[in-house]
Amino acid sequence: MSAATVAFDHSPTSPPIQPAAEPPNDRRERARQLFGVLAALPAGCPEHHRTREHLVEMHLPLVRFFARRYAGRGEPFDDLLQAGALGLVKAVDRFDPDRGLEFSTYAAPTILGEIRRHFRDRTWAVHVHRGLQELTGHVTRAATELSQELGRAPSVAELATRVGQPQERILEALDCAAAYTADSLEAPNGEDRTLGDTLGADDPALIDVELHESLAPALSKLPDRERRILQLRFYGNMTQSQIAAQLGISQMHVSRLLARTLNRLRNELLTDG
């Protein structure tokens, strides 16, 4: 039988499926008999396979019962059934009828374990190691209990005392709880925009900040007239002719001063680099 999908053989040679209204005591007795048959059959033979499948099918209502307890937590019910059915198959394979234990009592922890493992491995938006996931569950339950007992939200110290862990671990668990779900970048955020629209990006002006800070010492060494020419040319967006008219010098002189000043700044930046 596949571990991922539970399938059943309803061929004429399969054991007959009893009606759903079968009394519980009769159903338990029949299950004990089938487990005895299963234990006596060699593994891999057709009759062993059919008996095993029939035992799984008989106890699927137990899987549905436990799966319903975890329904409504964001996972499809069919996925929970498949996880629980995997636990049921494992329980059937490992059950020893000679120990005198009811199969449902034996199978319950295995079925619940597989359903919980499904949540642990498949539903967290960010991968978190198992120990921290389990601690998060303990802290969440403790927070609920303390809130009811105290009539207020518990402090980190109170949670640490209840759970028996250092406060640093409690803080880690509280942070971890935020990793269980994630919002889509396409989720609405206000009118006419999504969550992705609010995220920052690389600012192309950052390179200008770096250059400005690198140029500041070199600019401070320039004569007033050269600094004035640079200011008018690159911040005032004036042409060389306009600068010449404002300073009372020729346009050719402005061109020579500008070229000499830029070359000086370039050399100083290369020297600093």
Side-chain angles (χ1 to χ4, degrees):
M1 180 174 294
S2 167
T5 303
V6 177
F8 304 102
D9 182 359
H10 297 303
S11 63
T13 57
S14 299
I17 299 176
Q18 300 297 320
E22 182 183 12
N25 289 337
D26 292 351
R27 187 164 56 252
R28 284 194 291 268
E29 180 59 31
R30 188 161 57 89
R32 277 194 290 268
Q33 293 174 1
L34 287 173
F35 273 116
V37 171
L38 186 69
L41 291 170
C45 74
E47 189 63 26
H48 182 280
H49 178 73
R50 286 192 292 269
T51 305
R52 175 175 177 261
E53 284 196 338
H54 187 53
L55 280 166
V56 171
E57 188 167 359
M58 282 179 63
H59 293 93
L60 274 178
L62 188 63
V63 174
R64 294 189 184 97
F65 171 77
F66 288 124
R68 287 191 191 98
R69 289 172 53 177
Y70 288 85
R73 300 190 184 186
E75 281 296 283
F77 186 68
D78 286 347
D79 289 356
L80 301 181
L81 285 178
Q82 286 296 329
L86 174 59
L88 175 61
V89 171
K90 291 180 178 180
V92 168
D93 289 341
R94 298 169 184 171
F95 182 63
D96 182 0
D98 294 333
R99 295 180 59 184
L101 192 66
E102 287 287 346
F103 176 72
S104 59
T105 303
Y106 174 82
T110 307
I111 295 171
L112 284 171
E114 288 298 328
I115 294 175
R116 289 168 182 158
R117 182 177 290 111
H118 173 82
F119 278 96
R120 187 188 72 216
D121 296 342
R122 303 290 182 87
T123 61
W124 285 74
V126 178
H127 177 70
V128 177
H129 65 80
R130 179 175 179 178
L132 192 51
Q133 286 187 13
E134 292 176 349
L135 177 59
T136 300
H138 295 323
V139 171
T140 300
R141 286 190 292 273
T144 301
E145 294 169 358
L146 286 171
S147 295
Q148 294 174 347
E149 295 171 10
L150 302 174
R152 58 172 173 81
S155 66
V156 173
E158 290 167 337
L159 287 171
T161 301
R162 174 62 64 94
V163 178
Q165 291 286 337
Q167 294 188 31
E168 291 76 11
R169 291 282 290 165
I170 300 300
L171 291 172
E172 287 181 14
L174 293 173
D175 288 339
C176 176
Y180 188 74
T181 58
D183 292 329
S184 170
L185 293 179
E186 299 301 319
N189 187 276
E191 294 184 3
D192 301 325
R193 68 175 184 175
T194 65
L195 182 61
D197 296 331
T198 66
L199 300 180
D202 290 338
D203 189 343
L206 285 177
I207 187 64
D208 295 335
V209 174
E210 182 180 354
L211 290 174
H212 182 273
E213 293 302 312
S214 300
L215 277 171
L219 288 170
S220 65
K221 300 175 184 178
L222 293 176
D224 292 341
R225 185 172 61 176
E226 278 77 348
R227 280 204 304 273
R228 179 62 174 162
I229 291 174
L230 289 177
Q231 182 182 26
L232 295 174
R233 179 69 183 91
F234 295 105
Y235 290 93
N237 294 319
M238 295 176 63
T239 65
Q240 292 183 9
S241 298
Q242 291 171 328
I243 295 173
Q246 181 161 334
L247 297 182
I249 57 178
S250 69
Q251 184 267 331
M252 184 66 68
H253 195 184
V254 169
S255 178
R256 287 197 299 267
L257 288 173
L258 187 58
R260 186 176 65 190
T261 302
L262 292 176
N263 187 57
R264 178 178 174 178
L265 292 176
R266 186 180 301 110
N267 290 335
E268 292 212 18
L269 286 177
L270 292 174
T271 300
D272 292 342

